[in-house]
Amino acid sequence: MECVTTHSSFPLEGTFQLYGQKNGRCVVTLDPSELAVTRIDHDTKGERRQTIKTGDIVGCVCMKGGEKEQRKHVAFITVYAYPLFGSPKKKGRRKRLALTIEVGQKESFEENLDIANRWRTTLLQVVRSRGQGCQQIDRHKKLLVLINPNSGPGKALQIYKKQVVALYGEAELKHEVVVTERANHAFDLVRTLDLNLYAGCVIISGDGLLFEFYNGLLQRPDWQQAIQFPVGIIPGGSGNGLASSIAHWQGEPYLANPVLVSTLNQVYGRVSPMDLVLVQTPEGKKTLSFLSLGLGLLSDIDIESERLRSLGETRFVIWAIARWANLRKYKATVSFRRVEGRNANFHKTRPVLERSQTVEDEQATETTGTHERLLRSSSTVPESSRLSNSSFDLTSSLVKVECDPAGQQQEIEVGEEVLDLESRVNHNQGAADNHNKNNGNSEVGRGEEEGEDNRLLPEFSETLPHDWETIEDNFTVVYACYQSHISSDATLAPNATPNDGIIWLLLVRGNATKANVLKFLLGLDGSHLNIPGVELIPVDAMRVIPRTAKGTLTVDGEVIPWGPIQANMLAGKGKILTR
């Protein structure tokens, strides 16, 4: 549900000229829901009104003419938006739209720039106030961006440089980049990192780097509060289950452009609660999980296909065929506490996303052509995934103008990129201890918090409570997930949402026919729930004791030692960046 703040001073209206258009005279109107441009056609004496939803706008900059611009008194405003293109009956896709308006009513550039700045300030207030009333990141702080250059097919760093940095630039989102250099780099980094320096952390990788991040936080003395640090995810690996799950929950067209859809979540800066799960072993080792845990066919495919990681998510399809041809069965005791009143049946109804009137297909073609001279992209990314390779995607004819706090104009050449690549690690443990106080969260005693987290979990040696159920059988699959997807196109629990408080426990019994197991693998879109031998049970605590001598046990796609495990839900303890 979107949180919107109303404004009493609207609508705001002015008459301007569309940049680069012969008959571009227009009336621009802004209200909390949309930016409307009504073009005035003097030949036909008609009008044409186009709108951009304010919820699709990411940024706005003021500019002045460069050396090629002869009208030195004119100021320019460029609005960047990512509306939905395509038929309302289909999901469509989000594409970049840049609208540039000339402000030239006054005789001096300074006066026109003042008008442009007032529009820019008001527009950004509208865009950024849409989430006030919901928790938001602190925009005065920068985001920490962690990139694993070796994740999956090894394109995460390229994704950042060619796609992410352009959108961050348009949104004027401050960030600091750390490229991981080894396994457990992120794990070691965040154990002593001063979190108060950052608004949140964005992971550009597969799900494995986020697993490292969370379990590094788990090692901190303030871990109960640290695990609530806002995180964002941009798909850059083989398994991109969390990114796909968030888009599924929001009804966003993820597969059309996964990176763009995911990056927009950080730009808008809203913080939504996300479930985490605490996994324990008899030896007392604890692991924090955000996606899944399990054994059997799905875990075997995930880990054994690592040798094909250069193929990206295609590796899972290839290895699924190999494993299906040689099915394994695992004897295990599975115990769980069922959540009553929750239905695992799949419903295909999704939210309907609003489209701006500017982005009907026939209008989109005209808009793109109109601004082609000003708005050229030098990106080499395929059209379906393209973001600008330059921070503002402008030719040298215009120069961005900013004002410092003292009101002095500053000229910044378009495309200038400055990144702080220094990782700021505070090795003073006191910085971590002070995180609770400084980030505005109330302190909770560790013993009290741990008692709450463990309220559903008896010791392994103890008898299970009466409200737990136990199944002892041969299984082809024992897999629990807390998000809808375990990869971009594998929907394990279609009705799962990031904050439903449920561990969705999937069981495929050993007596399932080979034909039904194949249907299961081919039908991971929700239809697999109708296959005989497949069960999806909503639980909030569980225990798995393998009775087979060896096998592969995974948490969030990472291998942990084979043996008994138990897990319980930490409802809403995580925080995820969303639209």
Side-chain angles (χ1 to χ4, degrees):
M1 182 175 65
E2 187 173 24
C3 302
V4 180
T5 300
T6 59
H7 299 259
S8 58
S9 59
F10 289 109
L12 185 64
E13 186 173 293
T15 301
F16 303 103
Q17 176 79 15
L18 290 176
Y19 178 81
Q21 298 196 24
K22 184 177 180 181
N23 297 315
R25 188 86 170 159
C26 63
V27 175
V28 180
T29 307
L30 173 66
D31 64 35
S33 63
E34 65 186 22
L35 178 71
V37 179
T38 303
R39 297 178 61 177
I40 304 169
D41 191 329
H42 294 289
D43 296 331
T44 63
K45 296 183 180 180
E47 294 182 348
R48 180 178 179 182
R49 188 173 187 270
Q50 299 176 305
T51 62
I52 305 173
K53 300 292 182 184
T54 53
D56 292 336
I57 295 172
V58 301
C60 178
V61 295
C62 294
M63 291 168 289
K64 64 179 295 184
E67 294 180 359
K68 297 180 181 180
E69 177 58 59
Q70 297 180 354
R71 299 166 300 164
K72 300 301 183 182
H73 72 289
V74 178
F76 301 86
I77 310 171
T78 296
V79 178
Y80 301 103
Y82 288 82
L84 280 166
F85 286 75
S87 167
K89 295 182 180 180
K90 300 180 181 179
K91 280 190 174 182
R93 66 177 58 193
R94 292 197 178 274
K95 292 184 180 180
R96 182 179 184 274
L97 175 68
L99 175 69
T100 299
I101 297 169
E102 300 178 4
V103 183
Q105 300 96 318
K106 303 296 183 179
E107 294 183 357
S108 72
F109 172 75
E110 288 73 19
E111 291 176 295
N112 287 321
L113 179 62
D114 185 59
I115 295 172
N117 264 323
R118 288 203 300 268
W119 273 83
R120 174 183 178 272
T121 300
T122 304
L123 178 59
L124 292 179
Q125 285 176 345
V126 171
V127 170
R128 292 171 183 175
S129 68
R130 293 182 65 84
Q132 288 181 356
C134 302
Q135 185 180 354
Q136 289 189 306
I137 61 171
D138 183 350
R139 289 187 174 271
H140 296 96
K141 297 180 180 180
K142 57 190 171 184
L143 290 172
L144 174 64
V145 179
L146 299 181
I147 303 174
N148 179 2
N150 300 314
S151 179
K155 296 181 178 180
L157 187 56
Q158 182 181 6
I159 286 171
Y160 167 76
K161 290 179 178 179
K162 289 191 173 182
Q163 297 179 262
V164 177
V165 72
L167 186 45
Y168 278 10
E170 291 170 354
E172 299 177 273
L173 198 60
K174 296 183 293 184
H175 62 287
E176 176 183 314
V177 176
V178 174
V179 179
T180 59
E181 300 174 350
R182 53 181 170 78
N184 290 323
H185 186 169
F187 177 88
D188 295 333
L189 174 70
V190 301
R191 284 192 300 173
T192 54
L193 184 69
D194 186 354
L195 300 179
N196 295 302
L197 295 174
Y198 304 98
C201 179
V202 176
I203 303 294
I204 306 181
S205 177
D207 295 315
L209 189 58
L210 184 55
F211 175 83
E212 264 192 48
F213 179 83
Y214 268 128
N215 283 282
L217 296 180
L218 189 62
Q219 305 304 309
R220 298 167 62 105
D222 65 338
W223 69 270
Q224 300 93 344
Q225 298 299 330
I227 64 174
Q228 300 181 49
F229 191 65
V231 299
I233 186 77
I234 296 175
S238 299
N240 302 301
L242 180 58
S244 186
S245 296
I246 294 170
H248 176 79
W249 170 55
Q250 296 175 322
E252 285 285 331
Y254 175 81
L255 292 178
N257 195 330
V259 172
L260 174 59
V261 167
S262 301
T263 306
L264 286 171
N265 286 326
Q266 290 100 56
V267 167
Y268 292 110
R270 179 181 170 187
V271 180
S272 298
M274 181 178 73
D275 295 335
L276 298 174
V277 166
L278 191 64
V279 182
Q280 301 180 27
T281 68
E283 295 76 28
K285 180 176 175 54
K286 295 181 180 180
T287 303
L288 200 59
S289 173
F290 64 91
L291 185 65
S292 63
L293 66 91
L295 60 86
L297 180 60
L298 296 181
S299 294
D300 291 344
I301 293 171
D302 189 5
I303 302 305
E304 293 175 14
S305 65
E306 279 284 331
R307 65 196 73 181
L308 305 176
R309 65 184 300 113
S310 62
L311 300 179
E313 291 189 274
T314 304
R315 75 185 225 212
F316 300 129
V317 177
I318 296 173
W319 213 259
I321 297 171
R323 278 274 51 85
W324 172 79
N326 298 278
L327 280 179
R328 300 168 182 158
K329 298 177 183 180
Y330 296 88
K331 187 173 180 62
T333 301
V334 180
S335 303
F336 52 86
R337 172 172 161 156
R338 187 186 298 264
V339 175
E340 301 295 342
R342 291 305 301 262
N343 189 356
N345 293 335
F346 178 36
H347 304 287
K348 286 194 174 182
T349 56
R350 306 300 314 160
V352 177
L353 298 176
E354 293 184 331
R355 284 159 170 76
S356 301
Q357 293 179 16
T358 47
V359 293
E360 300 298 333
D361 286 338
E362 65 274 15
Q363 295 175 349
T365 301
E366 178 180 342
T367 302
T368 302
T370 300
H371 295 286
E372 186 176 4
R373 178 164 64 92
L374 176 65
L375 305 167
R376 295 200 304 266
S377 173
S378 58
S379 171
T380 58
V381 185
E383 183 65 34
S384 62
S385 301
R386 181 172 293 174
L387 294 182
S388 164
N389 206 20
S390 126
S391 294
F392 303 102
D393 198 20
L394 298 171
T395 67
S396 59
S397 61
L398 296 180
V399 176
K400 182 185 173 188
V401 177
E402 290 186 346
C403 291
D404 65 16
Q408 299 297 317
Q409 295 176 20
Q410 298 174 322
E411 296 183 9
I412 300 178
E413 290 299 328
V414 174
E416 179 179 2
E417 180 181 316
V418 180
L419 295 177
D420 181 3
L421 298 179
E422 177 187 5
S423 61
R424 299 178 177 273
V425 182
N426 190 330
H427 292 283
N428 183 346
Q429 195 62 57
D433 295 335
N434 288 332
H435 172 61
N436 294 350
K437 178 176 61 179
N438 294 338
N439 69 3
N441 294 322
S442 59
E443 290 192 353
V444 181
R446 180 165 184 172
E448 176 185 346
E449 184 76 15
E450 285 188 334
E452 177 187 349
D453 291 343
N454 290 322
R455 66 190 183 282
L456 299 176
L457 291 181
E459 296 294 331
F460 281 89
S461 59
E462 296 177 351
T463 303
L464 290 171
H466 69 280
D467 56 351
W468 283 54
E469 303 173 42
T470 297
I471 302 172
E472 185 165 352
D473 203 345
N474 289 315
F475 297 93
T476 301
V477 177
V478 176
Y479 209 84
C481 62
Y482 349 115
Q483 307 292 340
S484 57
H485 289 60
I486 57 172
S487 67
S488 292
D489 57 358
T491 313
L492 213 65
N495 288 345
T497 63
N499 187 34
D500 59 14
I502 294 176
I503 300 171
W504 297 89
L505 176 59
L506 181 84
L507 303 177
V508 179
R509 303 293 184 97
N511 59 4
T513 65
K514 202 167 184 179
N516 282 340
V517 173
L518 180 59
K519 290 179 182 178
F520 166 77
L521 291 173
L522 296 176
L524 288 176
D525 57 2
S527 61
H528 63 285
L529 301 180
N530 299 319
I531 299 172
V534 178
E535 305 169 72
L536 187 63
I537 307 169
V539 309
D540 59 14
M542 59 177 288
R543 176 185 291 177
V544 178
I545 302 177
R547 305 295 183 183
T548 303
K550 61 181 180 179
T552 300
L553 189 61
T554 60
V555 176
D556 296 346
E558 303 297 320
V559 178
I560 64 172
W562 182 255
I565 59 167
Q566 60 182 12
N568 69 285
M569 170 59 61
L570 308 181
K573 291 292 187 182
K575 297 293 183 289
I576 190 76
L577 297 176
T578 61
R579 287 177 63 91

